[in-house]
Amino acid sequence: MVEYTIARYQRGGKRFEIIVDPDKALDYKLGKKRDFEGILLFDEVYVDVKKGLRASRADIQSVFGTTDINIVAEKILREGELLIKAEQRRRLINEKKKQIISYISRYCVDSRTGAPVPPIRVENIIDDIGIRIDPFKPAEEQVKYVISEISKVLPIKQQITILQIKVPSMYIGKVYGFIKNSAEILSEEWLSDGSYLARVSIPSGLKQEFIEKLGSFTAGAAYAEVIEEKVI
């Protein structure tokens, strides 16, 4: 039996449905698949797939400006709602949740103590209070909502830390790549003694980890001072 699902588009009080391959349609919807080939299983546009009721050519022309099945079907899938399978939904939600948790644990701190919020703590709150994660909406667009919901039980704030760091010349080759990959370099200069001086911005949740790694890479010879902590 061929697996299928439905993509649905509603406009002007009219509903249009097409029958599509579940996995290929989802990949297309997520931008993982560029072409429309193999997605549409039947060259028909319906008003109700389950009842087998086809849309009229006049309604299709009126809403889409064409009756070309591929153009119409592509618009329905791209702009409409895709009914996904339960396991697909779970997988997408888990992926989005991991991305959101990662962001919050990096950029957010406890408003009362300034301490970072561990990922497991963030995940437990999301699960305990039942925060809804949208499987299709980009994670970065959901972060603000999730933070506002978490703040109802744990006061947190998004924050970045500005550090001034100084690295002796003998360690620059070893540590520069780490600094560049872990922080945003706001300014940098090489001093007359060959040491490296910079101001960098990092997510506050990673401040302690960054300072500890910097110390580890330089045998404790590097200097790091918090210049500013900014709520974002």
Side-chain angles (χ1 to χ4, degrees):
M1 181 178 177
V2 177
E3 281 197 332
Y4 73 90
T5 191
I6 298 168
R8 178 180 296 148
Y9 179 86
Q10 297 190 67
R11 185 172 177 183
K14 300 182 185 298
R15 182 172 70 179
F16 302 91
E17 296 182 344
I18 54 174
I19 300 173
V20 294
D21 178 283
D23 295 323
K24 291 178 181 178
L26 180 57
D27 283 347
Y28 184 87
K29 188 80 171 171
L30 296 174
K32 296 178 181 179
K33 178 176 169 60
R34 299 283 184 176
D35 63 275
F36 200 68
E37 185 179 353
I39 294 177
L40 187 64
L41 296 182
F42 297 96
D43 292 341
E44 294 285 354
V45 179
Y46 299 83
V47 293
D48 191 322
V49 166
K50 292 183 179 178
K51 294 181 180 178
L53 300 177
R54 292 179 173 84
S56 71
R57 289 178 62 85
D59 283 346
I60 295 171
Q61 178 67 42
S62 173
V63 170
F64 298 97
T66 181
T67 57
D68 185 304
I69 185 63
N70 288 314
I71 295 174
V72 172
E74 202 167 347
K75 184 178 179 68
I76 290 173
L77 179 57
R78 186 176 62 252
E79 300 182 13
E81 175 191 9
L82 177 65
L83 308 183
I84 59 177
K85 298 181 292 185
E87 60 267 31
Q88 289 176 313
R89 179 173 292 275
R90 282 194 296 270
R91 174 168 56 82
L92 288 175
I93 288 175
N94 284 335
E95 289 174 359
K96 290 292 190 302
K97 185 163 77 169
K98 286 178 181 177
Q99 293 169 15
I100 292 168
I101 290 170
S102 175
Y103 180 95
I104 292 175
S105 66
R106 292 171 68 241
Y107 279 94
C108 292
V109 295
D110 189 316
S111 299
R112 301 164 299 185
T113 65
V117 187
I120 188 64
R121 178 72 169 124
V122 177
E123 183 174 12
N124 286 340
I125 294 174
I126 289 175
D127 292 340
D128 289 346
I129 66 178
I131 297 176
R132 180 181 176 275
I133 306 297
D134 189 315
F136 288 112
K137 194 174 182 181
E140 57 270 21
E141 293 181 14
Q142 302 188 61
V143 164
K144 185 177 180 180
Y145 162 73
V146 174
I147 289 175
S148 70
E149 291 298 300
I150 289 176
S151 295
K152 294 176 182 178
V153 296
L154 176 69
I156 60 174
K157 59 185 177 182
Q158 294 184 76
Q159 183 174 279
I160 58 171
T161 297
I162 309 299
L163 292 172
Q164 180 161 288
I165 60 175
K166 184 178 181 182
V167 181
S169 58
M170 65 183 295
Y171 295 106
I172 294 173
K174 186 176 181 181
V175 80
Y176 186 77
F178 161 72
I179 295 170
K180 190 174 181 180
N181 292 329
S182 302
E184 178 187 356
I185 299 174
L186 304 177
S187 65
E188 60 183 354
E189 60 178 306
W190 280 262
L191 304 180
S192 58
D193 63 357
S195 59
Y196 174 73
L197 184 69
R199 285 200 176 195
V200 301
S201 170
I202 59 171
S204 290
L206 299 181
K207 175 179 65 178
Q208 194 60 38
E209 179 184 341
F210 178 87
I211 292 173
E212 288 175 359
K213 285 186 176 180
L214 186 66
S216 175
F217 286 139
T218 62
Y223 163 86
E225 178 187 359
V226 175
I227 300 300
E228 184 182 5
E229 292 193 311
K230 299 168 61 177
V231 175
I232 58 174

